[in-house]
């Protein structure tokens, strides 16, 4: 497919309406046909399509973005090698020299179609504050332990927002090897990082972190106290379901006996109900 042929197919997508920046009436058949033709064009056509993206004029590249997004859905419908080939092609531009807004858009498309073929490329931008959030979400959506490798590699060098995003992605992946990192993050200076660490440990249902979670919840105030207490209750529920009822009972008993503020009566009640459930 030549560039002129590609642009002819892109032109079949709807124009944005002036000022409102919404799409005009869509010719669904024309869009589907154009998408199929662009897909048949293969890697060369897909790269040319991504070359049409600009970061400063939404009206100018609206059709190209629409075409790429539709192409991703088309490839996902086909699955297998078709999906992997498109994902790999998009991933090849993630760490490239296009504007960050464009690369963030490409990463957003990878959230829909990426597999293990995209992991290495996404890992290259994990320490970039502008791209880290999107890259972490894409890696988390891949849902394989292979996707955790660049996350664990980047974590020791991550700070602030990037550290928070990486920890959250590892927690979403239930990455057991990151339990020591989650435990260490419970003592981080940043409140949000501590909250994410508590969430990850409760999600994984790490019984070995029971005392750390209870201690953090007891020391915390305000919003963090609410969240860390919730993590303790979630951990107890999961341990009960896993038939580790002795530790679950200890969590419930600690919360029931330690929360004597009238404002935390609901915590005592929840803990007491939990104690009854574990016998």
């Amino acid at each position: 497919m030549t560039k002129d042929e590609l642009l002819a197919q892109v032109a079949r997508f709807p124009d944005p309406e002036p000022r409102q920046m919404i799409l005009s009436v869509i010719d669904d058949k024309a869009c589907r046909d154009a998408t199929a033709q662009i897909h048949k064009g293969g890697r060369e056509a897909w790269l040319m399509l991504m070359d049409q993206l600009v970061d400063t004029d939404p009206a100018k590249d609206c059709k190209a973005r629409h075409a790429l997004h539709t192409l991703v859905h088309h490839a996902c419908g086909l699955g297998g090698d078709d999906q992997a080939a498109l994902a790999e092609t998009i991933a090849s531009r993630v760490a490239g020299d296009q504007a960050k807004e464009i690369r963030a858009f490409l990463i957003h498309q990878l959230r829909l179609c990426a597999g293990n073929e995209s992991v290495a490329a996404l890992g290259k931008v994990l320490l970039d504050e502008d791209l880290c959030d999107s890259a972490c979400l894409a890696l988390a959506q891949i849902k394989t332990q292979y996707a955790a490798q660049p996350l664990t590699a980047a974590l020791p060098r991550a700070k602030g927002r990037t550290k928070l995003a990486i920890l959250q992605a590892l927690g979403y992946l239930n990455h057991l090897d990151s339990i020591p990192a989650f435990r260490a993050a419970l003592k981080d200076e940043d409140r949000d990082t501590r909250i994410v660490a508590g969430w990850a440990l409760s999600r994984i249902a790490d019984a070995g972190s029971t005392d750390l979670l209870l201690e953090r919840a007891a020391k915390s105030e305000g919003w963090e106290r609410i969240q860390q207490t919730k993590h303790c209750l979630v951990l107890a529920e999961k341990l009960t379901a896993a038939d580790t009822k002795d530790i679950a009972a200890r969590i419930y008993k600690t919360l029931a006996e330690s929360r004597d503020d009238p404002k935390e009566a609901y915590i005592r009640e929840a803990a007491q109900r939990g104690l009854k459930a574990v016998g």
Side-chain angles (χ1 to χ4, degrees), residues 80-93:
D81 292 341
D82 292 280
Q83 179 176 337
L86 178 59
E88 188 279 327
T89 303
I90 295 174
S92 70
R93 291 290 183 88

Side-chain angles (χ1 to χ4, degrees), residues 10-237:
V10 173
R12 301 173 72 182
F13 286 84
D15 292 306
E17 293 288 355
R19 288 175 297 183
Q20 289 94 341
M21 287 308 297
I22 60 175
L23 296 178
S24 58
V25 176
I26 297 175
D27 185 336
D28 187 62
K29 183 179 184 305
C31 289
R32 289 180 180 273
D33 289 346
T35 300
Q37 291 301 315
I38 295 172
H39 180 259
K40 288 180 181 179
R43 179 182 174 86
E44 184 177 353
W46 307 339
L47 289 171
M48 284 193 293
L49 177 59
M50 286 186 279
D51 286 338
Q52 307 312 307
L53 303 179
V54 295
D55 65 319
T56 57
D57 189 351
K60 184 176 181 179
D61 73 349
C62 176
K63 291 188 177 188
R65 292 188 185 229
H66 191 169
L68 181 59
H69 185 66
T70 305
L71 180 63
V72 168
H73 280 283
H74 178 78
C76 288
L78 296 173
D81 292 341
D82 292 280
Q83 179 176 337
L86 178 59
E88 188 279 327
T89 303
I90 295 174
S92 70
R93 291 290 183 88
V94 166
D97 56 3
Q98 286 180 290
K100 286 188 179 181
E101 189 279 332
I102 293 174
R103 288 189 281 154
F105 174 75
L106 296 177
I107 295 172
H108 182 73
Q109 306 313 305
L110 287 176
R111 289 174 58 186
L112 304 175
C113 65
N116 285 340
E117 76 289 321
S118 303
V119 167
L122 290 167
K124 293 179 181 179
V125 297
L126 287 176
L127 296 178
D128 187 317
E129 287 192 0
D130 297 317
L131 300 176
C132 181
D133 287 349
S134 296
C136 284
L137 286 170
L139 287 167
Q141 287 297 320
I142 294 173
K143 298 179 182 179
T144 66
Q145 292 303 298
Y146 180 64
Q149 292 183 10
L151 294 165
T152 57
L155 183 58
R157 294 172 290 156
K159 297 179 181 179
R161 180 176 174 180
T162 59
K163 181 178 181 179
L164 182 65
I166 290 171
L167 286 169
Q168 192 163 22
L170 287 168
Y172 185 81
L173 290 170
N174 289 322
H175 194 244
L176 298 180
D177 289 345
S178 291
I179 287 175
F182 296 140
R183 291 177 178 175
L186 271 179
K187 302 176 182 179
D188 197 271
E189 294 181 357
D190 178 66
R191 183 199 68 173
D192 291 339
T193 299
R194 296 194 300 268
I195 290 174
V196 165
W199 164 79
L201 290 169
S202 66
R203 177 181 170 84
I204 292 173
D206 178 42
S209 297
T210 297
D211 290 337
L212 290 174
L213 283 169
L214 286 170
E215 180 182 5
R216 172 48 58 189
K219 288 182 176 180
S220 301
E221 298 178 351
W223 176 246
E224 183 179 3
R225 183 176 177 88
I226 293 171
Q227 293 302 304
Q228 300 292 14
T229 300
K230 180 177 72 174
H231 299 153
C232 291
L233 290 170
V234 170
L235 176 60
E237 290 174 6

